[in-house]
Amino acid sequence: QVQLVESGGGLVQPGGSLRLSCAASGFTFSRYAMRWYRQAPGKKRELVATISSAGGSTNYADSVKGRFTISRDNAKTTVYLQMNSLKPEDTAVYYCNALILFTGDTWGQGTQVTVSS
């Protein structure tokens, strides 16, 4: 069974850091690009970061460039999102995503990140 499980969200003060994790199972993780999205209340889901299957290529939304870093450990079938210098506008539910052959667009359950003093 294909599964993506996010963790690591929480409440953090502005300027703080969090690291999100997404544990994948049920598919050959190392063959797929992985993505992090986020959705704030009342807003559309937004692509935050993408990493290629081997981890050699990454892309970021302009709003997080220089503050967020996506990485992966194919041996642990886990993708990470290191978030630094967090701002209140980063508050959202963060989702892990992969487009998997024969399964389709696959999402985790999401993890809440709240940036507030």
Side-chain angles (χ1 to χ4, degrees):
Q1 179 184 0
V2 173
Q3 196 170 17
L4 299 173
V5 179
E6 300 95 336
S7 62
L11 173 63
V12 63
Q13 291 188 343
S17 297
L18 281 176
R19 188 174 86 151
L20 306 183
S21 299
C22 171
S25 60
F27 64 102
T28 307
F29 180 78
S30 61
R31 292 184 181 176
Y32 292 91
M34 298 296 297
R35 297 169 186 82
W36 283 98
Y37 284 79
R38 68 185 180 185
Q39 188 165 22
K43 295 191 175 181
K44 290 170 52 179
R45 195 167 290 193
E46 171 191 23
L47 177 61
V48 174
T50 303
I51 188 166
S52 61
S53 57
S57 177
T58 57
N59 285 285
Y60 299 92
D62 287 344
S63 57
V64 307
K65 274 181 186 175
R67 300 187 299 121
F68 289 13
T69 303
I70 189 171
S71 61
R72 66 190 295 159
D73 185 335
N74 284 348
K76 294 183 178 178
T77 66
T78 301
V79 61
Y80 305 97
L81 186 68
Q82 178 67 44
M83 306 186 295
N84 298 329
S85 302
L86 282 161
K87 304 175 182 180
E89 51 263 43
D90 295 317
T91 295
V93 178
Y94 284 71
Y95 297 91
C96 183
N97 168 268
L99 181 58
I100 299 169
L101 189 64
F102 304 125
T103 300
D105 215 7
T106 301
W107 299 88
Q109 83 288 353
T111 185
Q112 175 71 48
V113 172
T114 303
V115 185
S116 175
S117 54

